[in-house]
Amino acid sequence: THSILDEPAQPGVGPNTTMSLHSIDPSNLDWTTLLVTLGAGLAAATYFHRCVYRGVPPALPPPGGLQTKGTVQLERGDVGGEEEVKRDYGRALAAGGIHLLVPPAPPAALPPPADGSDREAAFEAALAKACGGEALSEATMVRLRAMLSVSPAVSLLLKLQCAPALQSHRFIVVCSGGGDGGGARVRVLTVGLLPSPATGKPRHFLTITSPDLTESGVERASGRSSSGRGSGRGGEEWFPLLRYEVRAVGPGADVEKEIALEVPRWCADETTSSDAMGKQAAA
């Protein structure tokens, strides 16, 4: 039987240089390094499989200066002028981009008025019903309309060195409590998908939360009467402190599904805040 080991040695190669698997001495192997290397390779392969084939996003850092959580103080000019706010607000109403969330019920898009009446009037009526049947003050509506424009979100992203791009954005108006002067809370969540600069596909889900927009909410935040500076009357003197949160999503993320994932937490946060307000008022 012919074997490669029976081949004559090549010129210049001694007989003792012939390689064989039997010449490997297991005692010379660094088994710790080998096992660590194999383990790292297996972990990397598993992670790649989960990311690519099961849609689990890699833990990419948020873009620009965004953190996973943070706050941004808006300044003069960040909220948008009267005409800009009016235009954006009308577009959001017409496109069905405004959802109303009254915990613990899930958010619902505002349907067009059945009788063909004014959409803005129908929206304000829905707000009043959500806030205990009492209409919100005009100053509160000024602040609300300002948050239902794209300017606050664009300003936040620019301040954090991010491209002002928010895909499939929605406005979610969160209402709880009684009327405007009776413990109601009205906030706006601006949500959407932040795209990858390289591919343009979604990579992060962004939530921007406004402060309480009611008269009493502004008073608590500023420590003074809501009729003074910072009230937002006319849309010029109101500089809100916005909170934001960012989390990674897959390239095929759907904004409605991402919203559904967040609703339980939003409702829990609203309940916690309302309870804290009640205790503060009782004290």
Side-chain angles (χ1 to χ4, degrees):
T1 302
H2 182 75
S3 169
I4 191 172
L5 298 180
D6 296 328
E7 292 287 340
Q10 298 297 319
V13 179
N16 293 332
T17 61
T18 304
M19 289 299 298
S20 168
L21 291 178
H22 299 289
S23 65
I24 298 177
D25 185 356
S27 64
N28 293 329
L29 294 177
D30 187 340
W31 291 101
T32 301
T33 301
L34 179 62
L35 291 175
V36 169
T37 302
L38 290 175
L42 179 60
T46 303
Y47 182 68
F48 179 80
H49 178 270
R50 293 178 70 239
C51 292
V52 174
Y53 295 102
R54 297 179 57 189
V56 178
L60 293 178
L66 284 167
Q67 305 296 318
T68 54
K69 293 183 180 181
T71 59
V72 170
Q73 178 70 61
L74 298 192
E75 302 170 311
R76 186 182 301 277
D78 288 339
V79 177
E82 183 176 351
E83 289 302 316
E84 181 181 356
V85 167
K86 182 178 180 181
R87 178 200 66 205
D88 290 348
Y89 175 53
R91 286 177 176 174
L93 279 175
I98 300 177
H99 296 211
L100 191 60
L101 173 60
V102 184
L110 299 173
D115 56 0
S117 60
D118 182 70
R119 287 177 180 268
E120 185 170 351
F123 175 52
E124 293 185 13
L127 283 174
K129 181 179 179 180
C131 291
E134 184 178 342
L136 299 175
S137 70
E138 178 57 26
T140 297
M141 290 303 304
V142 166
R143 292 185 286 268
L144 179 60
R145 294 185 197 107
M147 286 303 307
L148 295 175
S149 74
V150 298
S151 291
V154 168
S155 295
L156 181 144
L157 289 171
L158 289 176
K159 286 178 180 292
L160 295 172
Q161 299 82 49
C162 294
L166 191 60
Q167 298 176 346
S168 305
H169 73 277
R170 302 284 189 274
F171 299 109
I172 301 175
V173 181
V174 185
C175 299
S176 63
D180 193 11
R185 279 171 50 88
V186 178
R187 298 179 297 133
V188 173
L189 308 178
T190 304
V191 302
L193 301 168
L194 294 174
S196 164
T199 65
K201 295 182 179 180
R203 294 320 306 263
H204 293 88
F205 181 76
L206 173 66
T207 303
I208 301 173
T209 305
S210 81
D212 183 4
L213 304 174
T214 63
E215 298 289 288
S216 56
V218 171
E219 289 180 9
R220 286 191 300 271
S222 64
R224 54 192 161 193
S225 170
S226 61
S227 60
R229 179 177 176 83
S231 69
R233 296 185 187 277
E236 297 178 355
E237 299 295 334
W238 182 58
F239 312 126
L241 178 68
L242 303 182
R243 294 187 293 111
Y244 71 85
E245 296 188 35
V246 184
R247 61 175 172 82
V249 296
D254 176 79
V255 72
E256 299 297 342
K257 292 180 179 179
E258 300 302 329
I259 289 173
L261 292 175
E262 296 288 344
V263 168
R265 184 174 61 83
W266 292 340
C267 291
D269 288 348
E270 191 63 28
T271 300
T272 301
S273 298
S274 297
D275 291 346
M277 282 175 51
K279 293 178 180 179
Q280 184 179 4

